[in-house]
Amino acid sequence: MPGTNLIVPVVLWGKNAPSHCVSSVYLSRDQKTLVTGCYDGQICIWQVNPDTLKMTPRCLLVGHTAPVTCLSRASIIQDNNYIVSSSEAGEMCTWDLVDGKCRESVKLTQIHTNIQAYHMCNSEDLRLFCNGYYAEILIMDPFSLEILFCLSSKMNPDWISALHVLRPSSRKDDVVLAISITGTVKVWSLLGHENKQSEPIYENESKQIRCLNALSLNCCAYNQRTVLVVCAKYCQIYDAGDFSVLCSIQAPTGERWMSGDFLATDRVLVWSTEGKGYMYKLPANSVPDHKGFHGPTVEHDSPVLYSILAHPDNKLLSCPPAMRFVTTSAGGKQRRLLLRGDSAGVVSLWCVDKAAAPVLHQVPSHAPIVMTSLDMAWAEMNPSPVGILDQLCHPDEPEIKLTASIYLLAANRLVVGREDGSIVIVNATHTVQLQLLHGSHQQLDDWPPHQLLLGHNGRVNCLLYPHHVHHRYDRSHLVSGGIDFAVCLWDLFSGALLHRFCVHAGEIAQLIVPPHNCSTRIQKCICSVASDHSVTLLSLTERKCVTLASRHLFPVVSIKWRPADDFMVVGCSDGTVYVWQMETGHLDRVLHGMIAEEVLAACDETVADDLGGSLAAGAGDLQGLANPAVHFFRGLRHRNLTAMRAATARGLAALSGGGGAGGGGPLAEPARARRAPLTVQGFRSNPTDPESHILFFDIEGLIVELLSEEYSAMSPASLEAAGLITSEYMKVAALTQSASPDAAKRISGILAKMKEGAETMQTRLQAKAELLKGNAEQKGTWRTRARLPTYEFSS
């Protein structure tokens, strides 16, 4: 059951800003919020001043596991602060921009490359028109993220590469114009009453044109008569009536087009992979208002480049930037901006209106009016953001990057691995106090006290405290893995290096604890994964390698367990699954394709049922499990005796406990475990970044801890004076406590004698009952036999 406590997170970023390679960008219509998605899956929210367009980073949203490719608004109301994001893994989220919470999230099998928010007729709110690596156009609700209906293709079905939704001025219905990757243009008409139960919606018209792998499609908003289709090498202006080519613009040498839009009926803006925007004036035959519209092409009349939007330094980018053309309004004035976010995390804005005046015989280049990045924001802060171990670094010495960390809750210690191979152990409370609270302790050079463990030759990649995962491990054991191919076993309290496992031929990437219901020998092992595609089971008690699984041809991406069968299931990045016997280290089988996916799914099902060693669901957590009878018959079908026993035990527990709810009233229920007042979690947005730390403060836990300390130091009289206890409570407490130690001894002696006397009387009554029973059996009369059951019942 999720807790209702108020958890306040505080992030200690450190002196280095997180890397933010921008993959998508969005600006709200009120020009107060800028949103950038990055290739690492994070989303950064920037607060924007509408007058100066100065941007300040406000919060970082974490939730996606793949590059964020699409950002779109979610509501028709201008000041409604919700957006929708989509990633390359098919994840979609609806975010609240005020507090940064994720309101809804789904994972689809379809991967979107473009999302257009549009207000349909007969609809109260926006609808999301999505296209991507699939043959349909999905129309989704932005808040529930439910697929309302989809548009299918009857002629030449293929992936839809670009679309545009508009409402013609002479019609009341909505029109969807799209183009497939093979160059088939399709048109759908929507009346506003489409839903899931309706018949498949097919296109009204379709036409094949010579345009492969289109990147974007935009209708001219000023006349709806011309259409701009952008491909990598060229962009073309089409007549929306018959889709004939009016003119074409070739991409500059060494560059590729990304997208574009209309600035006016006779002007277009197209941007390239180099992060530059090119503004063209269209020829007469491409301007609907001109008398020569749709006429023959004249040699001297061709698109004219009259302005370029680019950075003055023209720095080379490691990947194509994310760019977007937006039209906003502030103070009754319309403003058109070109946004760009690049691989260095720099966000740039150009005001298109200021750069729109053409100059004869010149092509001026305009610099962005605003530029910012996380690095610039970090440099402007005074003092700079603190890191959790800043006190241990001297100003004259170079800063040592933090690469791994783990928080030991029971011992209140923070273990931090660093790039130079050292491991620092500090008191977590003292360290947090040093960074967040002002006081005399900040003037001490050797505070807080810390341990320094030296044993790795290079960066520490991962840390593991097995006793936190399961109590079967020694509470003094700490395990670390580094770039030096070694796994080190440490004594946490003395700081001694107990053993150094040198089994792998690559740097250690991950340390895992096997399930609790493995064999006795495997229960004392930990699992390590290395970059050489090898997986080992290392015994912490025997101090040797039990199993070496090193025949994987591709990187290891997942480890699953089947403890009842003594199997360790290893999934690789190419989809191959290797099944290893844990005790003997024998490779049982290698699986591919659908069978491999089914085996991994079966392992997940075993974990969900808590029959294969799941640590997430405890034995007493019966609420989240399915019907025990289902698991019993499933175990019977697979001849798994362990599964049958576990299902039987759960079924009996459910019958005796009323389905998990205690039948003994509120006093029979165990008290709710109180969370720790402070929890420290390491966080890294990119593998190359130093590790930052998130401090989770449980406000209720803090209040309880503070009040407990305060009350324990107060006398009963002061408690009564504060109104925390009453005089009646003191009288009852006085009656339950003895006046002196001698009185306590006397009371205990009296209780012992009374107990002894009661036991003696019970023995006498039992002997007398047996004697009377024997006498009754010796008498053979019917009357005595008739009274015997009554006598036996009363005894």
Side-chain angles (χ1 to χ4, degrees), residues 27 31 53 222 262-265 267 269 279 306 309 324-329 333-339 349-356 369:
L27 179 65
Q31 305 180 39
L53 296 179
Y222 305 98
F262 283 92
L263 298 177
T265 56
R267 298 170 191 257
L269 169 64
M279 304 170 68
Y306 67 90
L309 310 178
R324 188 167 190 156
F325 176 71
V326 296
T327 302
T328 61
S329 59
K333 294 183 179 180
Q334 189 183 49
R335 180 186 287 175
R336 297 185 295 181
L337 302 171
L338 178 64
L339 313 179
L349 278 78
W350 286 270
C351 185
V352 176
D353 299 317
K354 294 182 179 180
I369 58 174

Side-chain angles (χ1 to χ4, degrees), residues 31 72 105 221 263 565 594 678 680 702:
Q31 305 180 39
S72 173
S105 65
L263 298 177
D565 304 318
M594 293 297 296
L678 171 65
V680 184
L702 284 173

Side-chain angles (χ1 to χ4, degrees), residues 109-258:
T109 55
Q110 300 92 343
I111 299 176
H112 309 316
T113 56
N114 178 57
I115 297 178
Q116 180 180 347
Y118 182 79
H119 185 209
M120 295 179 58
C121 60
N122 301 327
S123 175
E124 295 181 356
D125 214 332
L126 291 179
R127 295 291 179 255
L128 303 179
F129 286 75
C130 311
N131 68 280
Y133 303 140
Y134 45 91
E136 296 85 14
I137 298 176
L138 303 182
I139 290 82
M140 304 182 66
D141 185 275
F143 292 101
S144 66
L145 298 181
E146 176 188 9
I147 299 177
L148 302 177
F149 60 94
C150 62
L151 307 180
S152 305
S153 300
K154 184 181 294 184
M155 302 294 295
N156 301 326
D158 211 330
W159 288 0
I160 302 297
S161 58
L163 66 85
H164 185 84
V165 191
L166 72 156
R167 183 172 300 161
S169 56
S170 59
R171 298 167 59 178
K172 295 183 179 180
D173 57 348
D174 299 313
V175 175
V176 180
L177 181 64
I179 183 172
S180 67
I181 60 172
T182 54
T184 303
V185 179
K186 301 174 183 292
V187 179
W188 288 266
S189 296
L190 305 179
L191 301 177
H193 53 72
E194 293 81 7
N195 52 50
K196 278 186 176 181
Q197 286 72 30
S198 60
E199 295 293 326
I201 304 173
Y202 295 110
E203 70 271 25
N204 304 97
E205 303 176 47
S206 65
K207 181 181 179 180
Q208 184 73 31
I209 62 175
R210 298 182 61 183
C211 181
L212 299 179
N213 299 318
L215 300 175
S216 70
L217 181 149
N218 285 286
C219 293
C220 181
Y222 305 98
N223 55 30
Q224 298 183 351
R225 184 67 192 274
T226 52
V227 179
L228 171 65
V229 179
V230 179
C231 298
K233 288 295 184 182
Y234 56 88
C235 61
Q236 295 175 332
I237 305 295
Y238 287 85
D239 185 351
D242 57 359
F243 253 85
S244 58
V245 181
L246 301 177
C247 73
S248 180
I249 304 174
Q250 297 294 324
T253 304
E255 300 183 31
R256 300 168 69 91
W257 291 132
M258 291 176 61

Side-chain angles (χ1 to χ4, degrees), residues 668-685:
E669 297 181 0
R672 179 172 62 91
R674 191 169 65 233
R675 293 182 179 178
L678 171 65
T679 305
V680 184
Q681 177 68 46
F683 168 75
R684 194 184 312 175
S685 60

